[in-house]
Amino acid sequence: MLNESLRQAIVTNDTVAASKADDAFHQVLIQRSANPDLIRILYENKLKLRWLEMIYFMDCALATASLHEHKAVLAALQAKKHGRAMEALKVNWDESLKRVLKQHTTE
């Protein structure tokens, strides 16, 4: 369900909805950490990076890669493999940054 909004936004090429759906996905994970310092730090950083996320979700291929990475996070969580879920989340963040930087440097 969390990923369905992102998938639908990608299919309809709705950049704003894709960014919001991605944010909602990550917010569920962040809030479940129950770590107020982590929540605050990530919130402040996400605000600063909102413009970058909008650029990121303008590219369907980049957004689709994130969608698949989210599936890996969810699968690990459903299997109660928390270490694997954390690694999959790290991959999502790291690879997303690499993709957007590559996109920016090739334009």
Side-chain angles (χ1 to χ4, degrees):
M1 179 125 176
L2 275 176
N3 244 3
E4 182 56 26
S5 297
L6 179 56
R7 188 193 70 73
Q8 198 60 252
I10 292 168
V11 167
T12 60
N13 202 29
D14 187 338
T15 301
V16 174
S19 178
K20 286 181 179 179
D22 182 71
D23 186 55
F25 175 86
H26 288 281
Q27 281 305 312
V28 168
L29 301 175
I30 292 165
Q31 293 299 320
R32 288 192 178 176
S33 76
N35 180 332
D37 293 328
L38 177 66
I39 292 168
R40 179 185 49 76
I41 290 166
L42 290 176
Y43 175 77
E44 290 170 0
N45 284 312
K46 292 279 280 178
L47 284 177
K48 293 175 187 173
L49 297 173
R50 183 88 32 172
W51 65 273
L52 187 60
E53 288 183 349
M54 293 300 290
I55 292 169
Y56 181 86
F57 285 107
M58 287 179 176
D59 186 322
C60 237
L62 299 183
T64 300
S66 282
L67 182 67
H68 293 299
E69 291 162 357
H70 287 186
K71 287 179 183 178
V73 173
L74 292 172
L77 288 172
Q78 289 169 344
K80 299 194 186 306
K81 304 286 186 186
H82 298 122
R84 189 180 338 155
M86 287 179 7
E87 182 57 34
L89 185 59
K90 182 180 182 320
V91 166
N92 174 240
W93 286 18
D94 290 347
E95 293 303 313
S96 293
L97 179 59
K98 287 178 190 174
R99 286 188 292 267
V100 79
L101 290 175
K102 182 178 179 183
Q103 177 193 41
H104 180 68
T105 57
T106 57
E107 290 180 351

